[in-house]
Amino acid sequence: MADLHVSINRDQGGIAGQIAAEIRESIRHGRLTPGTRLPASRDLAADLQVSRGVVVEAYEQLVAEGFLISRVGAGTQVAPISSRSMTDAVPASDPGPVYSPHYGHRPTSPDLGCFPRERWLASVRHVLTTMPSDVFDYGDPGGVPELRDELAGYLRRVRAADVRADNLVIVGGVAQGISLALHVLTQGTRGLRLAVEDPNSHRQVPLLLRAGAELVPVPVDDQGLVVTELRARGADAVLITPAHQYPTGVVLSPARRVALMEWAAESGGVVLEDDYDAEFRFDRDPVGCLQGLAPARVILSGSVSKALAPGLRLGWVAAPAELAESMRQARGELDLGSPVIDQYALAHFLRTGGYDKHLRRMRREYRRRRDALVKAVAEHLPEVRVRGIAAGLHAYLDLPPGSDEDAFVGPARELGLAADPVGPTRLTPGPPGVVVGFARLPAHRAAEVIQGLKVRMSGQNID
Ligand SMILES: Cc1ncc(COP(=O)(O)O)c(C=O)c1O
């Protein structure tokens, strides 16, 4: 049984989060080793003089993140992540072809009408009125230091990432982050076998191919990526959406998180974590990112596209410091970096609490919209099953067997509902489904739109 030293600050609130953070740090730094049993929640609660529920919440968060495992009869133990997965750095390592543009209104896009114009304007104004002119010269190609500092703090706090400013490179969104990471990983190699989820975000496929990757499809089931299949097929790297799989919406299960990290540690494989919509988790705290579990093996990429607006084209990559430095150099050679004024504005927005406040507001609003969509579908399209709604801005709808996906998508789009067929996201054929975005469907309109959809589809018969 571990002798746990957890210190909490009662004035700060979020006690469960504080306990989870302390235990996470102890695991990361090897003070708690794999297999170590943690005190029973009742005992730790008594030691800390907090309610047992608070300790249970902290343990559950760490189980969901893959740091702990919990088995009936065996209590709660530190997960068997080998220390190699935590400490061995990813080796840094030449690029190759095709692009089909898709603009606007994706099912994963946020409600742009809610963009915090006033507060963003205040941040831009602050930058323009206070910064010396010199800083508007070419910036650091890895990103302005102020933003990297702010983001490191934000990612540690909100995504339980294990990052410092020198792990971060500022990029123009997840798409560029993944391109840049692949650019660096494929340098000096004869090609990179990149495992991708099947189904996946088909819009990303051209960028993966252009970066020179050979794609290895790995199926996704109701726990996320099937890691045994990844092992069986073999790959140098894997691109994954663990917080909210695209398109199915599955959250990678704790057991799979651990299994994936074991694969990475044993095979030397790199995990590319696409954290595109992870701030939006509706029924519990966001599950910490995989990068926080094994920072030496995982390259995390995120952006403000879902929280603020895709048009800002602002994002980040967190990678082991050497790899981050290679990406920074590549940015310096390829295009001289991201827009400096916007970077300073985002740093100010984060520092002054604007980002957190906006996220809190939008989480509440999107949850209302999600609930209204789910209710409307249950009432008016009972033959359709909704899943993947624990997080993110889209739902996955299973259509009855034999349905024509386009017979749903066409009328949905006519009604202003962002919808995509699932077929093109599959590398191997599967049952029919559609992805529907709820971020731009106000709760009070959900029933009317879904009812309208039913009317338009009757005659086309999806069932
Ligand atoms: C799964 C997934 N990854 C990445 C992206 C691209 O995000 P970004 O705007 O940050 O490049 C999207 C955009 O819709 C997405 O759905």
Side-chain angles (χ1 to χ4, degrees):
M1 183 83 60
D3 184 15
L4 258 193
H5 296 285
V6 175
S7 55
I8 54 179
N9 180 347
R10 281 169 211 284
D11 301 334
Q12 254 183 19
I15 304 288
Q18 291 184 40
I19 297 171
E22 291 251 333
I23 298 175
R24 202 186 282 117
E25 279 311 295
S26 296
I27 297 173
R28 278 189 183 139
H29 291 102
R31 292 191 292 273
L32 284 174
T33 51
T36 305
R37 270 183 77 167
L38 266 63
S41 51
R42 200 184 309 276
D43 297 340
L44 184 58
D47 281 356
L48 298 176
Q49 294 180 357
V50 299
S51 76
R52 184 170 164 243
V54 167
V55 176
V56 168
E57 190 185 332
Y59 282 7
E60 283 177 354
Q61 178 74 17
L62 294 170
V63 167
E65 292 175 9
F67 283 96
L68 298 180
I69 51 175
S70 171
R71 292 210 186 94
V72 181
T76 306
Q77 299 178 357
V78 178
I81 318 158
S82 91
S83 52
R84 268 193 66 195
S85 70
M86 304 273 193
T87 51
D88 282 7
V90 176
S93 71
D94 250 303
V98 228
Y99 188 44
S100 52
H102 303 270
Y103 305 122
H105 291 353
R106 300 181 176 189
T108 54
S109 288
D111 185 344
L112 300 172
C114 296
F115 184 83
R117 289 176 187 243
E118 287 300 321
R119 292 195 71 133
W120 185 255
L121 183 63
S123 291
V124 174
R125 181 177 287 120
H126 174 83
V127 172
L128 293 179
T129 52
T130 61
M131 302 297 288
S133 308
D134 273 358
V135 303
F136 302 148
D137 207 336
Y138 293 105
D140 181 327
V144 304
E146 287 82 348
L147 178 56
R148 285 191 281 136
D149 274 342
E150 284 301 327
L151 270 175
Y154 168 78
L155 292 169
R156 282 197 299 265
R157 180 165 54 80
V158 175
R159 303 294 302 117
D162 189 355
V163 287
R164 295 186 329 205
D166 62 358
N167 299 117
L168 286 172
V169 178
I170 305 301
V171 290
V174 169
Q176 190 183 29
I178 292 170
S179 296
L180 192 64
L182 289 175
H183 178 81
V184 169
L185 289 174
T186 53
Q187 246 154 33
T189 69
R190 294 182 55 218
L192 180 100
R193 278 172 58 80
L194 177 68
V196 291
E197 296 165 306
D198 182 13
N200 66 34
S201 176
H202 62 297
R203 292 188 170 100
Q204 278 180 350
V205 168
L207 84 82
L208 306 178
L209 296 175
R210 185 175 279 279
E214 178 198 339
L215 305 190
V216 180
V218 176
V220 167
D221 65 14
D222 60 2
Q223 291 192 55
L225 186 91
V226 182
V227 178
T228 48
E229 287 293 326
L230 170 64
R231 279 183 186 277
R233 296 178 195 196
D236 305 308
V238 57
L239 173 61
I240 185 167
T241 45
H244 190 230
Q245 204 273 335
Y246 192 87
T248 63
V250 172
V251 179
L252 190 69
S253 73
R256 293 281 172 85
R257 288 168 73 97
V258 171
L260 183 64
M261 289 308 119
E262 283 174 348
W263 167 83
E266 287 164 22
S267 68
V270 179
V271 176
L272 285 168
E273 181 172 17
D274 176 349
D275 207 34
Y276 69 109
D277 67 0
E279 286 91 351
F280 297 108
R281 172 95 187 185
F282 302 114
D283 304 318
R284 52 174 297 165
D285 281 348
V287 175
C289 58
L290 289 175
Q291 191 273 350
L293 198 54
R297 308 269 7 127
V298 181
I299 301 177
L300 168 81
S301 193
S303 76
V304 304
S305 291
K306 315 299 175 203
L308 290 175
L312 279 168
R313 307 311 300 139
L314 271 177
W316 50 87
V317 189
E322 235 177 86
L323 206 61
E325 178 54 28
S326 299
M327 285 193 257
R328 174 174 169 268
Q329 278 179 20
R331 233 24 243 283
E333 291 159 12
L334 289 168
D335 56 21
L336 309 181
S338 291
V340 166
I341 295 176
D342 290 351
Q343 290 187 66
Y344 278 115
L346 180 58
H348 179 265
F349 197 63
L350 281 158
R351 188 167 61 245
T352 55
Y355 202 70
D356 282 333
K357 188 169 173 201
H358 183 65
L359 273 174
R360 275 198 301 276
R361 180 182 152 222
M362 296 315 296
R363 237 180 249 130
R364 276 196 304 273
E365 184 57 36
Y366 290 146
R367 183 209 290 245
R368 262 199 294 278
R369 296 183 187 194
R370 176 200 69 164
D371 292 347
L373 174 77
V374 171
K375 182 161 175 273
V377 172
E379 261 175 46
H380 302 293
L381 295 171
E383 67 283 11
V384 169
R385 191 166 79 99
V386 182
R387 51 190 173 106
I389 53 168
L393 306 180
H394 73 268
Y396 185 100
L397 308 189
D398 280 308
L399 302 184
S403 301
D404 176 359
E405 294 175 348
D406 291 332
F408 185 106
V409 169
R413 289 180 180 169
E414 282 166 25
L415 287 160
L417 187 64
D420 271 351
V422 166
T425 72
R426 294 186 186 284
L427 296 162
T428 49
V434 290
V435 171
V436 169
F438 50 77
R440 272 169 294 140
L441 180 62
H444 69 274
R445 288 206 56 228
E448 174 197 330
V449 168
I450 299 299
Q451 225 171 349
L453 185 59
K454 186 186 177 73
V455 171
R456 286 182 190 226
M457 282 191 314
S458 58
Q460 304 192 49
N461 239 350
I462 64 153
D463 50 8

